[in-house]
Amino acid sequence: MTKQEQYEALLPQIQAVMDKNVDIIANMANMAAMLHETFGFWWTGFYRVINNELVLGPFQGPLACTRIAYGRGVCGSAWKERRTLVVPDVEEFPGHIACSSASRSEIVVPVFHNNEVIAVLDIDSDRLATFDETDAKYLERIVMLLIIP
Ligand code: SME
């Protein structure tokens, strides 16, 4: 299966699992688990905007830093720039925050609600250049499923 086919199969599964009767933490937890299992990433999880910083949310993988300032690292930059950041080689990203030395490439996708970034989805790979425009396109669609009207 191509990556695109994997995302096409996963999208309706995630949609089916999202539960409007529970808080966003529960839905983030299942979303992180499903992405992590499907693709075998190194680290898959969320940081939520709380009191004007990013605070660690539900994730799969090794332990991670608990707080990230606005504009810091890939996560804080995606929040500040309000756009998805694809980083093929984390060593070439100025200010990258190395939670794990095994992390080689990364994608961070903002989660918007009422035009505000309320969280970011952060995915790390232990290989270089894992993520591209296909991941960006599908992950942007997937995180929208968290915002249940
Ligand atoms: N590398 C991220 C920090 C979070 S961890 O990788 C889980 C960053 O630079 O924002």
Side-chain angles (χ1 to χ4, degrees):
M1 258 211 267
T2 65
K3 180 156 74 178
Q4 176 151 351
E5 286 166 345
Q6 283 179 293
Y7 277 116
E8 287 289 348
L10 187 58
L11 236 153
Q13 291 174 31
I14 292 179
Q15 189 162 23
V17 164
M18 294 297 105
D19 184 345
K20 66 179 182 343
N21 297 310
V22 299
D23 68 5
I24 199 167
I25 296 279
N27 287 318
M28 283 175 163
N30 272 335
M31 186 175 283
M34 293 169 90
L35 285 166
H36 198 76
E37 287 269 313
T38 299
F39 293 102
F41 295 131
W42 175 254
W43 195 93
T44 310
F46 290 91
Y47 283 88
R48 294 190 302 143
V49 176
I50 298 172
N51 295 332
N52 214 37
E53 62 183 357
L54 290 172
V55 177
L56 184 62
F59 71 94
Q60 299 275 317
L63 67 83
C65 33
T66 48
R67 299 188 300 157
I68 298 174
Y70 184 72
R72 287 281 324 280
V74 187
C75 291
S77 300
W79 175 20
K80 186 176 179 181
E81 295 177 28
R82 298 167 55 87
R83 65 185 178 97
T84 298
L85 294 182
V86 175
V87 181
D89 181 351
V90 295
E91 280 174 25
E92 293 188 357
F93 187 93
H96 169 254
I97 301 164
C99 289
S100 159
S101 59
S103 172
R104 309 289 298 282
S105 61
E106 182 163 355
I107 186 169
V108 179
V109 180
V111 183
F112 291 94
H113 187 45
N114 295 335
N115 206 31
E116 295 267 311
V117 176
I118 58 142
V120 298
L121 168 64
D122 177 20
I123 306 181
D124 289 30
S125 167
D126 59 0
R127 287 170 296 133
L128 289 170
T130 293
F131 307 102
D132 57 23
E133 281 310 304
T134 300
D135 299 278
K137 181 179 92 177
Y138 280 102
L139 293 171
E140 285 170 7
R141 283 174 63 186
I142 286 172
V143 297
M144 279 197 272
L145 299 174
L146 286 171
I147 309 301
I148 298 165

